[in-house]
Amino acid sequence: MGATQVNEFARPFGRRFELKRELKVAEQLALEAGELLRFRQRGDLEIRYKANGEIVTPSDLAANEIICHGLAAAFDDDSICSEEAWAAAMLAKQDRVWIVDPLDSTSNYVQRGDEYCVSIGLAIGGKATLGVVYNPVRNELFSGFLGHGAYCNGVTVRTSSTVSTDRPSWLISSKEWKRGLEHAMTTLTVQPMASMAYKLARVAAGREDAVLSLKQRKPWGTCAGAALVEAAEGRVTALDGQPLVFDCVDLRTFDGLAAAGNGFHGSVLNLACGLRSSTKTPGSA
């Protein structure tokens, strides 16, 4: 899909959708998968390793089964692109693609933390359109879609209205923080946090003003949160200012990520540019 088509789709009064059934199904699946994750986290956790060295647990796979089976049963004409089973979705490009991370931040999960989440996004025509992010430990269900608004546990939320760089609050990847950003952002109010989907959901809810990442980002933990930010009247782009395109035709990655309210997004990009010039880009893990 070309950039012109994506930009047309992103216009506030452009293409609109009625996705209440999709939202209800995704919310229910996120709650089911999240309850399984929360229950299993209390017991012994088996850790395995993927070919690329990333960790995975049986809980990842069980949550993936719940979500993908449920989506396939409800929307059999749609593609499903999950972190745990994405190859099949690459074979045929569809207008509607569910992009799933059944357990975003497995590392936080195995450390028995409370920042991991379930992430279920729907991209239509390459645009992150609907998002559901569920943190089962904190019992926070963020959901919404473009033109409908964003919600946390049923209450309407919006991105922060800040436009000043004086006292904004920032969310940063815990791993990126430890790999250099802690030395480059000492004068700012920064909260390191594990899951990208959860960070984006919190920005959508206005709890923090912005999230940025300097590393390459994959679609799984990004699509749902990006949809939530834009449903909450915010903006999400790569660090070059280009829109994020979600189609899963190939394993597309994004050149970093910046998300904030519309009035503050430009300042986030400016800060990211300065950080890149003064620090080494953190690794991809």
Side-chain angles (χ1 to χ4, degrees):
M1 171 174 289
T4 300
Q5 188 174 353
V6 172
N7 288 335
E8 278 290 325
F9 180 47
R11 288 180 180 175
F13 302 104
R15 191 177 177 190
R16 297 179 68 87
F17 296 93
E18 183 55 57
L19 299 171
K20 291 183 179 179
R21 176 171 176 260
E22 285 85 344
L23 190 67
K24 184 176 181 179
V25 170
E27 287 175 335
Q28 184 58 42
L29 292 172
L31 289 170
E32 291 178 17
E35 178 59 25
L36 176 144
L37 292 173
R38 188 174 64 84
F39 177 77
R40 287 193 172 196
Q41 191 187 30
R42 299 170 181 168
D44 294 332
L45 297 174
E46 177 187 349
I47 299 176
R48 305 172 185 173
Y49 292 89
K50 302 178 185 179
N52 61 5
E54 295 179 355
I55 62 173
V56 64
T57 71
S59 297
D60 292 74
L61 304 179
N64 185 71
E65 178 66 19
I66 289 172
I67 297 167
C68 292
H69 178 78
L71 291 175
F75 310 107
D76 58 0
D77 288 333
D78 296 352
S79 289
I80 302 172
C81 187
S82 169
E83 181 179 19
E84 306 308 332
W86 58 270
M90 296 171 62
L91 300 179
K93 183 174 182 178
Q94 299 289 340
D95 186 56
R96 290 175 35 126
V97 182
W98 292 93
I99 300 180
V100 176
D101 193 334
L103 174 48
D104 190 35
S105 191
T106 304
S107 58
N108 183 260
Y109 180 76
V110 300
Q111 293 164 5
R112 305 188 191 279
D114 65 353
E115 295 174 357
Y116 68 89
C117 68
V118 177
S119 177
I120 303 175
L122 174 62
I124 302 179
K127 175 74 175 176
T129 304
L130 176 150
V132 174
V133 173
Y134 179 50
N135 181 317
V137 180
R138 301 185 184 186
N139 193 30
E140 296 171 323
L141 179 68
F142 303 87
S143 61
F145 58 85
L146 298 184
H148 178 68
Y151 303 83
C152 179
N153 292 344
V155 178
T156 301
V157 295
R158 290 182 180 176
T159 53
S160 165
S161 60
T162 187
V163 295
S164 170
T165 57
D166 292 338
R167 298 293 299 175
S169 55
W170 300 82
L171 289 173
I172 299 293
S173 161
S174 298
K175 293 179 180 178
E176 290 185 74
W177 182 252
K178 293 175 182 177
R179 293 175 181 175
L181 290 186
E182 62 180 320
H183 303 299
M185 303 180 72
T186 55
T187 63
L188 302 176
T189 302
V190 181
Q191 174 62 51
M193 192 168 287
S195 162
M196 176 53 71
Y198 187 49
K199 290 193 286 287
L200 286 166
R202 289 181 65 92
V203 168
R207 296 186 183 176
E208 285 82 22
D209 297 311
V211 57
L212 66 82
S213 174
L214 302 186
K215 71 177 220 178
Q216 294 291 308
R217 285 286 169 185
K218 296 178 182 178
W220 337 117
T222 307
C223 182
L228 287 172
V229 170
E230 298 205 355
E233 302 181 9
R235 189 178 177 203
V236 185
T237 67
L239 296 187
D240 58 6
Q242 293 300 305
L244 307 183
V245 179
F246 298 89
D247 56 22
C248 282
V249 174
D250 52 25
L251 188 53
R252 187 190 301 271
T253 59
F254 309 119
D255 180 27
L257 181 147
N262 275 313
F264 191 53
H265 183 266
S267 297
V268 181
L269 292 181
N270 289 337
L271 176 66
C273 181
L275 289 173
R276 275 192 161 174
S277 64
S278 62
T279 66
K280 292 183 178 179
T281 303
S284 59

